[in-house]
Amino acid sequence: MLTDQQLKLLKIYDEGLALYKERKWSAARDKFLEALQALPEDGPSRLYVERCEAYMKDPPGADWDGVFVMKTK
């Protein structure tokens, strides 16, 4: 059974993921940061904050299919 905190995290995370897929990097990052306030140890939200910030600096091309391509190891 999920706790209220986990349910809140999932709702916010889903909103962030939808914004991410729409290429709304800043709004998506804000949602993932909000998710981290609900559950600070959430690894996926932290990862998507980093990806949003990377895409805000260097957006993917028009043919982006939602896949994050690492440029360094």
Side-chain angles (χ1 to χ4, degrees), residues 9 12-13 30-40 42 45:
L9 167 75
I12 297 166
Y13 181 88
D30 292 347
K31 282 294 178 181
F32 293 122
L33 288 171
E34 185 181 342
L36 286 170
Q37 289 177 350
L39 193 67
D42 183 55
S45 292

Side-chain angles (χ1 to χ4, degrees), residues 2-17 31-46:
L2 297 175
T3 66
D4 288 342
Q5 185 179 24
Q6 290 169 322
L7 290 171
K8 180 179 179 181
L9 167 75
L10 287 173
K11 179 183 180 300
I12 297 166
Y13 181 88
D14 284 345
E15 292 169 358
L17 195 56
K31 282 294 178 181
F32 293 122
L33 288 171
E34 185 181 342
L36 286 170
Q37 289 177 350
L39 193 67
E41 64 272 10
D42 183 55
S45 292
R46 188 164 303 144

Side-chain angles (χ1 to χ4, degrees), residues 4-5 13-14 18 20 35 41-42 50-51 57-58 61 71-72:
D4 288 342
Q5 185 179 24
Y13 181 88
D14 284 345
Y20 178 86
E41 64 272 10
D42 183 55
E50 293 172 9
R51 289 182 178 181
K57 291 176 186 171
D58 186 21
K71 296 184 180 179
T72 60

